[in-house]
Amino acid sequence: MSLAYFPFYAERYEADTAHLSMLEDGAYNRLLRLCWRSPGCKIPDDKPWVYRQMRVTSDAERAAIDTVLAEYFTRGRGKLWSAKLLKVYVQVSVAHLRKSEAGKQGAAAKALKKHGTEPSNAEAKLKQPEPEPKPKKEQQPREVDGGDPTPREHLLSAMGADPISGLIGPNGRRLGTVADTTEAGKWSAMGIPLDQQCAVIAERCAAMRRKDQHWTPGRFAYFTGAMADLAAAKSAPIPTGTAKPQSDRDAKLARYAKIAGQVHD
């Protein structure tokens, strides 16, 4: 999702950057703009790449960028991001999605009115969307503090979603809701540790994206069947070799047994 505008809070910015030199201030401002244009408001943790994007031409400019990255940016899982900017990015993304949805509903209502098919009051009442429930505490993205990722963030990353906001795909779908985290709790209850849950998710996503590169899961429950297969593979006896051809079910269990670490190539 591309966000057209960049919220800039001048007083906060001045308070945070008053001690920077002019070169460092310029580097910080350009880094923030680079993050805003990047997927998930994060950039690669790769200084040569950053220098190229920033069009660096001198050692003094490299030093200014290094100073700003060390002071204002968080690093993790191969990415760099500004915690303050990421919080604003999530807020603006949610507002953008809501505004876009409201615009679609308004356009549909105008089209109905123009063609003389405006719904009756009773029909309009039926078509009104239900008020969006106030997000529970568990649904709020974890504030970025540089700490270890949560299990929810590990699972979202394995699915290819932004680990903080849960946004995935070009249509702004959001994963990691309370219902999703409840579903993940079922996987843990099956005796499947987090690293194996992530391995199953990555395997299923890769298989689906080989058929459709834009495929995205709709909810965590999509993976529950695969988790059950893995749990069955973990509890099944270790194969000792047989000349009998494998059934599709046996092949599936064998594949998930490899993920569980019970069978080695």
Side-chain angles (χ1 to χ4, degrees):
M1 178 173 57
S2 176
L3 299 175
Y5 67 91
F6 183 99
F8 185 81
Y9 304 100
E11 290 187 3
R12 296 184 194 174
Y13 184 87
E14 289 301 322
D16 288 343
T17 62
H19 62 289
L20 297 181
S21 68
M22 183 176 294
L23 193 58
E24 291 167 345
D25 184 279
Y28 185 31
N29 192 289
R30 181 170 287 183
L31 279 167
L32 292 177
R33 301 198 314 264
L34 179 60
C35 282
W36 191 262
R37 300 194 313 272
S38 301
C41 203
K42 297 181 181 181
I43 58 177
D45 187 2
D46 179 353
K47 283 188 178 180
W49 182 90
V50 174
Y51 295 152
R52 289 195 300 272
Q53 299 302 312
M54 299 279 285
R55 298 182 290 282
V56 169
T57 60
S58 69
D59 290 340
E61 291 174 344
R62 292 187 185 87
I65 292 172
D66 292 347
T67 296
V68 170
L69 289 176
E71 182 171 352
Y72 294 100
F73 281 70
T74 301
R75 109 176 342 107
R77 286 168 284 176
K79 296 289 185 180
L80 289 166
W81 67 93
S82 162
K84 291 182 179 180
L85 184 66
L86 183 60
K87 187 175 182 178
V88 174
Y89 181 86
V90 171
Q91 293 170 347
V92 172
S93 297
V94 172
H96 175 82
L97 290 171
R98 289 176 176 169
K99 186 176 181 180
S100 176
E101 187 62 29
K104 292 177 182 177
Q105 293 176 2
K110 287 181 180 179
L112 289 171
K113 185 175 182 180
K114 180 178 179 181
H115 292 87
T117 56
E118 187 173 5
S120 65
N121 290 337
E123 291 174 335
K125 186 175 181 180
L126 288 174
K127 292 183 178 181
Q128 287 296 322
E130 294 183 5
E132 185 173 342
K134 185 176 180 180
K136 297 182 180 180
K137 185 175 181 181
E138 296 91 337
Q139 292 176 285
Q140 298 296 332
R142 181 177 68 92
E143 185 173 348
V144 179
D145 57 7
D148 292 335
T150 65
R152 171 183 178 274
E153 291 173 354
H154 277 296
L155 296 173
L156 288 171
S157 293
M159 294 175 200
D162 182 86
I164 306 300
S165 66
L167 293 174
I168 187 171
N171 297 322
R173 176 178 291 167
R174 186 181 300 279
L175 299 174
T177 63
V178 171
D180 284 337
T181 53
T182 299
E183 194 70 22
K186 298 178 183 177
W187 307 340
S188 298
M190 295 177 190
I192 305 173
L194 180 61
D195 60 336
Q196 292 178 9
Q197 293 176 25
C198 291
V200 169
I201 290 169
E203 192 269 348
R204 292 301 308 138
C205 288
M208 294 303 295
R209 286 167 186 156
R210 283 194 291 270
K211 302 176 183 177
D212 176 5
Q213 62 178 333
H214 301 298
W215 179 88
T216 57
R219 50 182 180 163
F220 281 24
Y222 171 80
F223 301 99
T224 298
M227 296 299 173
D229 287 337
L230 174 55
K234 287 167 65 70
S235 62
I238 300 176
T240 57
T242 175
K244 182 180 179 181
Q246 285 186 317
S247 67
D248 291 342
R249 176 66 175 172
D250 290 338
K252 181 186 290 186
L253 292 180
R255 185 170 74 253
Y256 287 115
K258 289 182 180 180
I259 294 175
Q262 289 185 296
V263 178
H264 302 281
D265 294 328

